Amino acid sequence: MNNRELQAYLRPILRWWWLIILSALLAAASAFVFVRLRPPVYISSGTVMVGTAIQERNPDTQQLSLTQGLAQTYVKIAQRPSIKESTKQALGMDWLPEYAVRIVPDSQLIEINVTDVDAQRAYAVATELINQLILLSPGGQERQQREVFIQEQLRKLEQGLRETEDEINRKQNDLSSALSARQIRQIEEQIGALQAKQTTLQGTYVGLLANTERGSTNTINVLDSPVVPLEPVNDRWYLLVLVAGI
């Protein structure tokens, strides 16, 4: 390319440079006004775990692989129209904000992210989507209610075990200060009865613990519950303005 051809190419640019700059400024200014006028966007996120293999001391590789496959299935189910309709009906809504469901790579964890201009609505939708997945798992709501009942009974048994242990310790202290043979015999009988009660409580506790969902493969457990987002997401508005200018 000779100088004459180069000048022919540069002549329009040199002549209309002010129009090029003005166009870039107008585009950048329009983008700036657009990003500033649009409402802030919030994201509410929640994470669930498929199965309970990760809680085992020696998790089985085959079980981990199975739960990862189940997690992928649940991700696809969460995006089906039936789940969307169930969520809308549960919340009394005619539409749902944009949401994304993805599996954390190489794990049985599922993340649900709901994006909306209303922080409370994003939280409500994320919570209900998780609830709909739980209802689809084996047992659904019945399993949840059973788990709540068992956990409540376990708490009561734990309290009873602590109280019985404290009572045994008190009786043993009384035994050390007893003076007569009759008192010693009575306290020993009371300690024996308390120890028998303790053994019964321990057996009941172990039995209830075995009936929980620990070790189940096709179950969904909430790992991180959604929360109401307090701050909007950082949308990097300056990048949009820069791209518009360019």
Side-chain angles (χ1 to χ4, degrees):
M1 180 183 297
N2 54 40
N3 290 337
R4 183 171 297 178
E5 291 177 342
L6 181 60
Q7 291 176 0
Y9 281 113
L10 293 179
R11 189 176 295 112
I13 298 177
L14 295 175
R15 182 178 180 182
W16 300 103
W17 63 269
W18 60 272
L19 183 60
I20 297 174
I21 295 177
L22 180 61
S23 301
L25 291 176
L26 286 175
S30 300
F32 178 80
V33 172
F34 169 76
V35 298
R36 285 307 183 184
L37 290 180
R38 68 178 180 177
V41 176
Y42 299 88
I43 296 180
S44 182
S45 303
T47 305
V48 298
M49 180 174 63
V50 179
T52 57
I54 197 67
Q55 299 174 359
E56 301 294 332
R57 291 182 180 271
N58 300 299
D60 184 76
T61 305
Q62 183 178 0
Q63 189 177 15
L64 286 172
S65 178
L66 178 59
T67 54
Q68 290 175 12
L70 287 170
Q72 293 176 350
T73 302
Y74 279 115
V75 167
K76 295 177 181 178
I77 290 175
Q79 298 167 339
R80 300 293 299 173
S82 57
I83 292 294
K84 295 180 180 179
E85 288 299 322
S86 299
T87 302
K88 287 191 290 186
Q89 290 178 6
L91 296 175
M93 299 172 57
D94 297 328
W95 63 281
L96 291 180
E98 179 183 351
Y99 69 88
V101 184
R102 75 177 191 93
I103 184 172
V104 178
D106 301 324
S107 73
Q108 63 266 48
L109 303 181
I110 300 175
E111 286 185 353
I112 296 178
N113 300 307
V114 179
T115 305
D116 198 355
V117 296
D118 188 322
Q120 289 286 348
R121 187 166 55 200
Y123 161 75
V125 172
T127 302
E128 186 56 35
L129 284 171
I130 290 176
N131 183 57
Q132 291 298 323
L133 286 180
I134 292 176
L135 291 177
L136 280 175
S137 62
Q141 189 172 5
E142 179 183 350
R143 178 177 65 86
Q144 286 183 290
Q145 294 173 349
R146 184 173 65 251
E147 280 290 301
V148 170
F149 173 77
I150 291 177
Q151 293 299 331
E152 179 64 26
Q153 296 303 310
L154 287 174
R155 282 192 292 270
K156 291 180 180 179
L157 286 171
E158 288 171 356
Q159 181 179 358
L161 284 168
R162 287 193 296 267
E163 292 175 352
T164 303
E165 181 69 23
D166 293 340
E167 185 66 22
I168 291 175
N169 292 332
R170 284 194 294 269
K171 292 297 181 182
Q172 288 176 342
N173 291 332
D174 294 340
L175 182 63
S176 61
S177 59
L179 300 178
S180 65
R182 181 179 178 183
Q183 286 181 326
I184 294 175
R185 185 172 61 254
Q186 289 178 342
I187 294 175
E188 287 178 344
E189 290 176 354
Q190 292 173 352
I191 291 176
L194 287 170
Q195 289 175 340
K197 177 183 177 181
Q198 185 182 46
T199 301
T200 302
L201 289 174
Q202 289 173 342
T204 305
Y205 183 87
V206 172
L208 276 176
L209 197 63
N211 287 325
T212 63
E213 297 293 337
R214 298 180 185 180
S216 300
T217 301
N218 192 8
T219 58
I220 294 181
N221 302 283
V222 179
L223 193 62
D224 296 316
S225 300
V227 296
V228 179
L230 301 178
E231 298 290 338
V233 296
N234 183 7
D235 56 3
R236 298 184 180 181
W237 59 269
Y238 52 86
L239 292 180
L240 179 60
V241 173
L242 179 62
V243 171
I246 293 174

